[in-house]
Every structure is written in C-alpha cells, then in structure tokens.
Amino acid sequence: MDINEALSIIPRSLISLVTLFIATKILGKKQVSELSLFDYVIGISIGNFTAEMILVLDNQLINGVVAILTFGIMGYIISYISTKNIIFRRFMIGTPTIIMSNGKLLYKSFKNLNIDINDFLEQARIAGYFDITQINYAIMEANGDISFLLKEDSNSNNKQGTLPANVIIDSNIMHENIKETDKSESWFIKELKKQGYTSYENILLATYSNNNLTIYRKNENIKPKNVLE
C-alpha cells in the first residue's frame, strides 16, 4: 500500500464513522446497552461492513453505506415489531429461564442453556454472592445475564423471598405464570375488576407478589423524558 492508498483510508474512515453513528441512533439505546442474540448478529454484521468500507479499497463506498443503513433499519423494524407482538418477541429475542428455584439448581435448565456450574458460580460472585445458599432464585435473562433473588432473611426487613409473577404482559394474560402462583385465574380477574379493569387492553404489566397485585397502566399520554439534559 502506497501513501496515496493510505491517505484514502482517512475519508473512508470518517464516512464509515458517520454512517455507523447514524445506524446506532436508528437502533436506539436498547441495542447499545444490552444485546440480545439478534442484536448481537446485527452488530457483528455492521462491524464487518464497516471494516470492509475502510480497508477494501476496491469496493465502492456507497455499497458499504447502504449495507450498514439497511441492517440498522432492519434492526429497528424487528425491535419495533417485538414491542407490539409478544410471540414474535419471544421468538426473536428469547425468554428468561429459571436456573435456580427455591434454593435448588435446575440441572435440565443448565443443559438446555448450555452453561455449566462454573459459569453460574462466576456470575454469582460477580453479583456479590460468594455463598449460593443465600440465593433463592436465579434467572438467566434473554441477553445472557443472570439475575438473583435472595432468600428471605428473618433477621432483617428483607421480604423478597418469593419470586414475583408477571401475570399480564403487554395486555396478554400469562396463563403459565398464573399457574405458578398460589391464586387462580378467576382470583386475578376479580382483583382486576376491583381495581377498575374490565379488560387487559390498558395494562402494560401486572405483577403478583406476597398476595398483592400491582398494575402498571399504558400511560400513552405521558411523554418520555431524558434525564440530566
């Protein structure tokens, strides 16, 4: 590579940087902060296109720009559809999996997720739990992180010994989640009516824990606000 070819990389790099920034803005904060499997694939593909834009001088620059923006727009479309359709979201992004329940490790979950006990212990130590006997529930999230819920401590005010159940998500009633609670589906319907809900249409999320049903409305009229602008 001579000096002219080397210098030609500079404007290509700047153009690819601007294009990558635009694609990232299209994808949004979710893809930047926590990658699902689909987001990971999109990210790798965009990274590959960016590298080719900069280093493969025989390729036309516009091809790389179009490829990056196409993948960015597709990522946004998939993300948008996922927010509207829970079945599609489960297929594309995945669902959390319980790997520890009531203080017991679920071996089949470990096998299905293709993780070993060392991975689990490492994640527990990173979260600050060196003694796993303190843990009541552990859930592997769709992005691969593990969330932990401690056992109830009788010597403190910690009352988080039971796992909350999401009984309504995006206006969809979660029949399987209700089966894991100590209440029937008819009980939840009665509780919803008591709180003024005759349908699930305006419910974004409803959670049940410690005999309490908490409902979060779809407050569509409230505008989102950024923090520390």
Side-chain angles (χ1 to χ4, degrees), residues 28-35 143 145:
K29 293 181 179 179
K30 173 179 172 289
Q31 279 74 12
V32 176
S33 59
E34 295 182 355
L35 295 178
N143 66 353
D145 290 338

Side-chain angles (χ1 to χ4, degrees), residues 17-222:
L17 179 61
V18 172
T19 306
L20 187 59
F21 178 76
I22 294 173
T24 304
K25 294 290 287 185
I26 292 173
L27 289 171
K29 293 181 179 179
K30 173 179 172 289
Q31 279 74 12
V32 176
S33 59
E34 295 182 355
L35 295 178
S36 67
L37 180 60
F38 180 77
D39 299 329
Y40 180 70
V41 172
I42 289 288
I44 290 178
S45 301
I46 290 178
N48 182 56
F49 294 142
T50 304
E52 288 192 2
M53 281 178 62
I54 298 172
L55 300 177
V56 183
L57 303 181
D58 293 335
N59 290 346
Q60 292 189 13
L61 193 60
I62 188 62
N63 294 341
V65 173
V66 171
I68 291 176
L69 293 180
T70 299
F71 270 68
I73 293 171
M74 281 302 301
Y76 173 80
I77 292 173
I78 295 297
S79 179
Y80 178 80
I81 297 175
S82 297
T83 63
K84 301 297 182 181
N85 189 302
I86 191 170
I87 296 176
F88 185 80
R89 178 165 68 243
R90 286 173 173 173
F91 176 76
M92 295 300 300
I93 300 177
T95 56
T97 302
I98 297 176
I99 58 178
M100 188 174 189
S101 176
N102 291 317
K104 297 180 180 179
L105 295 173
L106 306 181
Y107 179 65
K108 287 186 177 180
S109 294
F110 276 73
K111 289 184 65 178
N112 292 338
L113 295 170
N114 196 27
I115 63 171
D116 59 40
I117 190 63
N118 290 321
D119 296 326
F120 173 78
L121 294 175
E122 179 183 359
Q123 290 272 10
R125 289 193 297 271
I126 291 174
Y129 308 122
F130 287 78
D131 181 6
I132 66 169
T133 60
Q134 299 175 310
I135 301 171
N136 200 20
Y137 285 91
I139 300 176
M140 174 163 278
E141 307 293 351
N143 66 353
D145 290 338
I146 299 179
S147 303
F148 299 95
L149 181 67
L150 299 183
K151 293 179 179 178
E152 181 177 345
D153 186 356
S154 59
N155 296 321
S156 70
N157 293 323
N158 177 22
K159 298 301 180 181
Q160 293 185 328
T162 57
L163 186 67
N166 298 321
V167 295
I168 296 177
I169 300 176
D170 285 341
S171 304
N172 295 282
I173 190 163
M174 302 288 102
H175 301 285
E176 293 300 319
N177 292 354
I178 290 177
K179 290 179 182 179
E180 298 299 322
T181 70
D182 57 352
K183 303 294 184 182
S184 65
E185 192 166 316
S186 60
W187 183 89
F188 286 104
I189 294 174
K190 290 180 180 178
E191 285 298 308
L192 289 170
K193 289 181 178 179
K194 286 182 182 178
Q195 299 192 36
Y197 295 93
T198 56
S199 68
Y200 314 132
E201 183 179 353
N202 293 323
I203 299 177
L204 178 64
L205 176 68
T207 63
Y208 172 78
S209 178
N210 296 326
N211 209 37
N212 291 319
L213 180 64
T214 304
I215 298 174
Y216 300 89
R217 288 178 54 86
K218 289 182 178 179
N219 295 312
E220 297 179 348
N221 295 326
I222 298 178

